[in-house]
Amino acid sequence: AQTVTQSQPEMSVQEAETVTLSCTYDTSESDYYLFWYKQPPSRQMILVIRQEAYKQQNATENRFSVNFQKAAKSFSLKISDSQLGDAAMYFCAYRPSSGTYKYIFGTGTRLKVLA
Amino acid sequence: NAGVMQNPRHLVRRRGQEARLRCSPMKGHSHVYWYRQLPEEGLKFMVYLQKENIIDESGMPKERFSAEFPKEGPSILRIQQVVRGDSAAYFCASSRMRTGDWDYTFGSGTRLTVV
């Protein structure tokens, strides 16, 4: 079965510092997508970044970048220059390659940003 | 584009009542997916619908839960005879295509509280 594990229920970071959120997954598929979603108190699920498994290059979106280790089945999110607005729940998600539609989510990491 | 609209935002029901949750997909999207988020957990897939068809309901509880996506109007998730364990946030997502590679968009969810 495909699973996504986020082992850090909560993390804290000082404003302007860097924090890394961990995610591991288990799958027998060779082609898939990985995502990080942000869920602020408004409950909106906001796509932060996505990674195609066939791409070796790590995805980056402004202050957000990932460290994708396919062999280790690891997909961590690095947030640089943390801002107060980054405080939220962060969910790692997995989806098999095109043709499927089910996302599998981890249990989330609550990120607190300290002023 | 108003995005995926879900209403109500909050719904309180007494045990034994019915809950109706509505989801209007993004304009141009004809594929709708429902997820449930129990407290302190990630989102879990419930059902996938296209207009007038249920494609995959493998994540739906076998009893009391049903979903529809009529030709006209929003998709409806119905929970009959609600119990305390149904308390959760229910999210809807929509996409233009089945694969929904880059336009899979979530709504802000409906938080159901059963008292």
Side-chain angles (χ1 to χ4, degrees):
Chain A
Q2 295 148 346
T3 58
V4 176
T5 301
Q6 293 180 251
S7 58
Q8 305 156 316
E10 189 171 294
M11 293 281 285
S12 296
V13 62
Q14 287 290 141
E15 199 175 3
E17 296 293 308
T18 295
V19 65
T20 299
L21 309 184
S22 301
C23 173
T24 58
Y25 58 94
D26 189 23
T27 183
S28 57
E29 303 280 341
S30 59
D31 195 14
Y32 46 87
Y33 300 99
L34 295 164
F35 307 83
W36 278 98
Y37 278 87
K38 173 185 178 181
Q39 187 182 48
S42 67
R43 266 203 325 263
Q44 179 71 43
M45 293 292 287
I46 302 166
L47 178 63
V48 174
I49 200 165
R50 59 181 163 236
Q51 173 83 42
E52 295 97 321
Y54 64 85
K55 288 186 177 179
Q56 292 189 345
Q57 187 173 6
N58 289 325
T60 62
E61 286 287 342
N62 300 314
R63 297 182 295 108
F64 299 87
S65 62
V66 298
N67 183 2
F68 173 48
Q69 301 288 330
K70 191 171 184 179
K73 296 180 181 174
S74 171
F75 183 61
S76 61
L77 174 70
K78 185 171 83 170
I79 306 174
S80 304
D81 186 25
S82 297
Q83 301 175 359
L84 294 177
D86 295 333
M89 284 291 288
Y90 286 82
F91 290 96
C92 179
Y94 161 96
R95 201 195 85 200
S97 64
S98 295
T100 67
Y101 42 81
K102 293 181 192 178
Y103 281 58
I104 298 169
F105 286 85
T107 51
T109 296
R110 184 176 303 281
L111 178 66
K112 295 185 176 181
V113 181
L114 309 173
Chain B
N1 196 330
V4 178
M5 304 301 292
Q6 290 190 248
N7 65 80
R9 185 156 175 74
H10 303 279
L11 182 62
V12 179
R13 284 288 177 266
R14 295 186 184 279
R15 282 177 293 173
Q17 290 185 320
E18 178 180 284
R20 281 193 173 215
L21 288 64
R22 294 175 187 78
C23 169
S24 296
M26 285 184 69
K27 187 176 180 180
H29 287 194
S30 59
H31 300 257
V32 166
Y33 318 86
W34 285 93
Y35 288 76
R36 178 165 67 174
Q37 183 181 26
L38 294 170
E40 306 304 318
E41 293 188 14
L43 281 68
K44 286 189 167 57
F45 171 82
M46 297 180 74
V47 62
Y48 162 36
L49 309 104
Q50 284 182 266
K51 286 283 187 181
E52 300 183 278
N53 288 302
I54 296 174
I55 308 301
D56 180 354
E57 56 182 348
S58 59
M60 280 267 270
K62 294 288 185 281
E63 298 178 351
R64 303 186 297 107
F65 285 71
S66 62
E68 62 178 13
F69 188 16
K71 188 176 181 181
E72 300 292 335
S75 175
I76 306 288
L77 179 68
R78 181 189 304 173
I79 312 171
Q80 296 177 301
Q81 298 176 324
V82 296
V83 300
R84 288 252 170 90
D86 297 332
S87 295
Y90 292 83
F91 287 85
C92 168
S94 72
S95 66
R96 190 183 308 272
M97 302 292 289
R98 176 188 173 107
T99 58
D101 282 356
W102 307 131
D103 65 354
Y104 200 107
T105 305
F106 284 91
S108 294
T110 293
R111 180 171 297 285
L112 171 65
T113 302
V114 180
V115 296

